[in-house]
Protein backbone atom coordinates (compact mmCIF):
# COMPACT_ATOMS: atom_id res chain seq x y z
CA UNK A 1 0.00 0.00 0.00
CA UNK A 2 2.80 2.42 0.87
CA UNK A 3 4.55 1.63 -2.46
CA UNK A 4 1.35 2.34 -4.35
CA UNK A 5 0.92 5.77 -2.76
CA UNK A 6 4.53 6.69 -3.51
CA UNK A 7 4.21 5.61 -7.11
CA UNK A 8 1.04 7.70 -7.51
CA UNK A 9 2.74 10.77 -6.04
CA UNK A 10 5.68 10.27 -8.39
CA UNK A 11 3.38 10.12 -11.41
CA UNK A 12 1.59 13.30 -10.31
CA UNK A 13 4.92 15.11 -10.02
CA UNK A 14 5.90 13.96 -13.52
CA UNK A 15 2.61 15.23 -14.97
CA UNK A 16 3.02 18.59 -13.20
CA UNK A 17 6.60 18.96 -14.46
CA UNK A 18 5.51 18.04 -17.98
CA UNK A 19 2.67 20.57 -17.85
CA UNK A 20 5.05 23.22 -16.51
CA UNK A 21 7.54 22.50 -19.31
CA UNK A 22 4.82 22.72 -21.99
CA UNK A 23 3.59 26.00 -20.51
CA UNK A 24 7.10 27.39 -20.63
CA UNK A 25 7.60 26.26 -24.24
CA UNK A 26 4.28 27.83 -25.30
CA UNK A 27 5.21 31.11 -23.62
CA UNK A 28 8.65 31.04 -25.23
CA UNK A 29 7.18 30.40 -28.71
CA UNK A 30 4.66 33.20 -28.25
CA UNK A 31 7.47 35.56 -27.28
CA UNK A 32 9.43 34.58 -30.40
CA UNK A 33 6.44 35.21 -32.61
CA UNK A 34 5.71 38.54 -30.96
CA UNK A 35 9.26 39.75 -31.59
CA UNK A 36 9.74 38.16 -35.00
CA UNK A 37 9.82 40.20 -38.19
CA UNK A 38 6.36 40.52 -39.76
CA UNK A 39 5.57 38.00 -42.49
CA UNK A 40 5.13 39.53 -45.93
CA UNK A 41 3.55 37.34 -48.60
CA UNK A 42 5.09 38.16 -52.00
CA UNK A 43 3.18 38.40 -55.26
CA UNK A 44 3.48 35.12 -57.14
CA UNK A 45 1.74 36.02 -60.39
CA UNK A 46 3.81 35.60 -63.56
CA UNK A 47 4.66 38.69 -65.57
CA UNK A 48 1.77 39.58 -67.90
CA UNK A 49 3.70 38.43 -70.95
CA UNK A 50 4.14 34.97 -69.38
CA UNK A 51 0.51 34.41 -68.36
CA UNK A 52 -1.29 31.68 -70.28
CA UNK A 53 -4.63 33.53 -70.43
CA UNK A 54 -5.66 37.07 -69.57
CA UNK A 55 -9.05 38.48 -68.61
CA UNK A 56 -9.22 42.21 -67.98
CA UNK A 57 -12.52 41.73 -66.13
CA UNK A 58 -10.94 39.20 -63.74
CA UNK A 59 -7.97 41.52 -63.20
CA UNK A 60 -10.32 44.41 -62.49
CA UNK A 61 -12.26 42.30 -59.99
CA UNK A 62 -9.01 41.41 -58.22
CA UNK A 63 -8.01 45.05 -58.05
CA UNK A 64 -11.42 46.06 -56.71
CA UNK A 65 -11.44 43.34 -54.03
CA UNK A 66 -7.86 43.80 -52.84
CA UNK A 67 -8.24 47.58 -52.62
CA UNK A 68 -10.89 47.05 -49.94
CA UNK A 69 -8.86 44.56 -47.87
CA UNK A 70 -7.19 45.93 -44.75
CA UNK A 71 -4.93 42.88 -44.44
CA UNK A 72 -2.34 43.29 -47.20
CA UNK A 73 -1.12 39.70 -46.89
CA UNK A 74 -4.66 38.45 -47.38
CA UNK A 75 -5.00 40.76 -50.39
CA UNK A 76 -1.80 39.39 -51.93
CA UNK A 77 -2.89 35.82 -51.26
CA UNK A 78 -6.21 36.50 -52.97
CA UNK A 79 -4.53 38.12 -55.98
CA UNK A 80 -2.18 35.14 -56.26
CA UNK A 81 -4.85 32.47 -56.00
CA UNK A 82 -7.91 33.64 -57.96
CA UNK A 83 -6.19 34.00 -61.35
CA UNK A 84 -3.78 31.09 -60.93
CA UNK A 85 -5.57 28.80 -63.39
CA UNK A 86 -5.64 31.57 -65.99
CA UNK A 87 -2.05 32.60 -65.32
CA UNK A 88 -0.40 29.18 -65.38
CA UNK A 89 -2.52 26.24 -66.61
CA UNK A 90 -4.32 27.21 -69.84
CA UNK A 91 -1.96 25.43 -72.22
CA UNK A 92 -4.19 25.78 -75.28
CA UNK A 93 -7.15 27.98 -76.13
CA UNK A 94 -9.00 28.58 -79.36
CA UNK A 95 -12.12 30.69 -79.45
CA UNK A 96 -15.00 29.78 -81.71
CA UNK A 97 -14.38 30.80 -85.29
CA UNK A 98 -17.87 30.40 -86.69
CA UNK A 99 -20.82 28.05 -86.94
CA UNK A 100 -18.63 25.08 -87.90
CA UNK A 101 -15.96 25.82 -85.32
CA UNK A 102 -16.23 25.55 -81.55
CA UNK A 103 -14.11 26.81 -78.69
CA UNK A 104 -11.42 24.46 -77.43
CA UNK A 105 -9.45 24.71 -74.18
CA UNK A 106 -6.81 22.43 -72.68
CA UNK A 107 -6.20 23.02 -68.97
CA UNK A 108 -3.40 21.13 -67.24
CA UNK A 109 -3.53 20.30 -63.56
CA UNK A 110 -0.67 22.00 -61.77
CA UNK A 111 2.72 20.62 -62.78
CA UNK A 112 1.37 17.63 -64.74
CA UNK A 113 0.96 18.19 -68.49
CA UNK A 114 -2.40 16.44 -68.64
CA UNK A 115 -6.05 17.43 -68.30
CA UNK A 116 -8.24 15.76 -65.69
CA UNK A 117 -11.98 15.93 -66.28
CA UNK A 118 -12.73 16.63 -62.61
CA UNK A 119 -9.79 18.95 -61.97
CA UNK A 120 -10.26 21.10 -65.07
CA UNK A 121 -13.95 21.59 -64.22
CA UNK A 122 -13.07 22.69 -60.69
CA UNK A 123 -10.21 24.90 -61.88
CA UNK A 124 -12.44 27.08 -64.07
CA UNK A 125 -15.48 26.98 -61.76
CA UNK A 126 -14.40 30.18 -59.97
CA UNK A 127 -14.68 32.10 -63.24
CA UNK A 128 -18.32 31.28 -63.93
CA UNK A 129 -19.35 34.52 -62.21
CA UNK A 130 -17.49 36.44 -64.93
CA UNK A 131 -18.82 34.50 -67.93
CA UNK A 132 -21.89 36.66 -68.48
CA UNK A 133 -19.86 39.88 -68.80
CA UNK A 134 -16.63 38.56 -70.29
CA UNK A 135 -16.93 36.78 -73.67
CA UNK A 136 -13.37 35.48 -73.42
CA UNK A 137 -14.06 33.76 -70.09
CA UNK A 138 -17.28 32.32 -71.48
CA UNK A 139 -15.40 30.97 -74.49
CA UNK A 140 -12.66 29.58 -72.26
CA UNK A 141 -15.16 27.58 -70.20
CA UNK A 142 -17.07 26.49 -73.30
CA UNK A 143 -13.77 25.20 -74.66
CA UNK A 144 -13.18 23.18 -71.50
CA UNK A 145 -16.65 21.63 -71.77
CA UNK A 146 -16.22 20.84 -75.47
CA UNK A 147 -12.88 19.14 -74.92
CA UNK A 148 -14.21 17.21 -71.92
CA UNK A 149 -17.15 15.99 -74.00
CA UNK A 150 -14.85 14.88 -76.81
CA UNK A 151 -12.62 13.03 -74.36
CA UNK A 152 -15.61 11.25 -72.81
CA UNK A 153 -16.80 10.20 -76.27
CA UNK A 154 -13.33 8.80 -76.95
CA UNK A 155 -13.21 6.86 -73.69
CA UNK A 156 -15.81 7.27 -70.96
CA UNK A 157 -13.78 5.17 -68.51
CA UNK A 158 -10.68 7.38 -68.40
CA UNK A 159 -10.21 10.29 -66.02
CA UNK A 160 -7.27 12.24 -67.49
CA UNK A 161 -6.09 12.88 -71.03
CA UNK A 162 -3.11 14.10 -73.02
CA UNK A 163 -3.34 17.06 -75.36
CA UNK A 164 -2.52 14.86 -78.34
CA UNK A 165 -2.40 11.10 -78.86
CA UNK A 166 1.15 10.84 -77.56
CA UNK A 167 0.66 8.69 -74.47
CA UNK A 168 2.31 5.35 -73.80
CA UNK A 169 0.25 4.24 -70.81
CA UNK A 170 0.77 0.54 -70.09
CA UNK A 171 -2.60 -0.44 -68.67
CA UNK A 172 -4.63 -3.49 -69.70
CA UNK A 173 -8.40 -3.10 -69.77
CA UNK A 174 -11.42 -3.20 -72.02
CA UNK A 175 -11.86 -0.95 -73.95
CA UNK A 176 -8.24 -0.73 -74.99
CA UNK A 177 -6.30 2.26 -73.66
CA UNK A 178 -5.69 4.79 -76.44
CA UNK A 179 -2.60 7.06 -76.66
CA UNK A 180 -4.81 10.09 -75.89
CA UNK A 181 -5.34 8.75 -72.36
CA UNK A 182 -3.10 9.84 -69.49
CA UNK A 183 -4.93 8.06 -66.65
CA UNK A 184 -7.24 5.15 -67.41
CA UNK A 185 -8.99 4.53 -64.09
CA UNK A 186 -12.73 5.14 -64.01
CA UNK A 187 -14.11 7.76 -61.62
CA UNK A 188 -17.78 8.62 -61.35
CA UNK A 189 -17.06 12.22 -60.42
CA UNK A 190 -15.08 12.69 -63.65
CA UNK A 191 -18.25 12.27 -65.71
CA UNK A 192 -20.30 14.26 -63.21
CA UNK A 193 -17.79 17.15 -63.36
CA UNK A 194 -18.51 17.79 -67.04
CA UNK A 195 -22.27 17.77 -66.44
CA UNK A 196 -21.93 20.07 -63.43
CA UNK A 197 -19.74 22.55 -65.30
CA UNK A 198 -22.11 22.53 -68.30
CA UNK A 199 -25.06 23.40 -66.09
CA UNK A 200 -22.97 25.93 -64.16
CA UNK A 201 -22.16 27.83 -67.36
CA UNK A 202 -25.77 27.60 -68.55
CA UNK A 203 -27.00 29.08 -65.27
CA UNK A 204 -24.29 31.74 -65.08
CA UNK A 205 -25.12 33.07 -68.56
CA UNK A 206 -28.92 32.77 -68.18
CA UNK A 207 -29.01 30.03 -70.78
CA UNK A 208 -27.02 31.90 -73.42
CA UNK A 209 -25.25 29.16 -75.38
CA UNK A 210 -24.00 31.43 -78.17
CA UNK A 211 -20.30 31.38 -78.99
Amino acid sequence: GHYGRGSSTHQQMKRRLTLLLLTFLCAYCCALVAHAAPIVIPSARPAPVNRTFTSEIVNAAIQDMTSRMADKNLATLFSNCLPNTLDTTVKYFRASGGSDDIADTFVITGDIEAMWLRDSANQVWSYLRFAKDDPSIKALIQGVIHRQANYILMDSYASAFNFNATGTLDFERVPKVQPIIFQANWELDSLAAMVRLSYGLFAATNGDTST
Side-chain angles (χ1 to χ4, degrees), residues 18-32:
T18 301
L19 182 59
L20 182 62
L21 178 61
L22 290 174
T23 302
F24 171 78
L25 287 175
C26 288
Y28 180 70
C29 290
C30 289
L32 287 178

Side-chain angles (χ1 to χ4, degrees), residues 52-53 85-86 88-95 103-117 119-121 123-124 139-148 151 154 159-166 179-182:
T52 57
F53 188 92
T85 289
L86 303 181
T88 65
T89 68
V90 182
K91 290 303 181 181
Y92 177 79
F93 170 68
R94 183 194 71 221
D104 185 23
T105 310
F106 186 82
V107 177
I108 65 169
T109 179
D111 59 344
I112 302 176
E113 297 284 328
M115 178 170 168
W116 265 255
L117 298 175
D119 291 11
S120 59
Q123 284 170 263
V124 300
L140 176 83
I141 299 174
Q142 284 177 327
V144 170
I145 295 169
H146 292 154
R147 182 167 280 266
Q148 289 175 338
Y151 282 150
M154 291 178 190
S159 57
F161 297 82
N162 299 303
F163 180 68
N164 292 314
T166 56
I180 196 69
I181 296 173
F182 181 84

Side-chain angles (χ1 to χ4, degrees), residues 43-142:
S43 173
R45 295 192 70 182
V49 69
N50 295 324
R51 295 170 188 173
T52 57
F53 188 92
T54 300
S55 165
E56 295 304 327
I57 287 184
V58 172
N59 285 338
I62 294 170
Q63 179 62 35
D64 175 63
M65 180 63 71
T66 55
S67 67
R68 293 184 281 125
M69 289 183 175
D71 188 324
K72 297 308 178 184
N73 277 336
L74 183 61
T76 302
L77 191 62
F78 178 82
S79 65
N80 286 343
C81 292
L82 180 61
N84 185 257
T85 289
L86 303 181
D87 286 351
T88 65
T89 68
V90 182
K91 290 303 181 181
Y92 177 79
F93 170 68
R94 183 194 71 221
S96 173
S99 58
D100 297 326
D101 191 13
I102 60 175
D104 185 23
T105 310
F106 186 82
V107 177
I108 65 169
T109 179
D111 59 344
I112 302 176
E113 297 284 328
M115 178 170 168
W116 265 255
L117 298 175
R118 177 193 59 231
D119 291 11
S120 59
N122 291 334
Q123 284 170 263
V124 300
W125 186 266
S126 297
Y127 309 121
L128 285 173
R129 70 194 67 190
F130 305 108
K132 186 178 179 181
D133 299 317
D134 188 340
S136 68
I137 287 290
K138 179 183 175 183
L140 176 83
I141 299 174
Q142 284 177 327

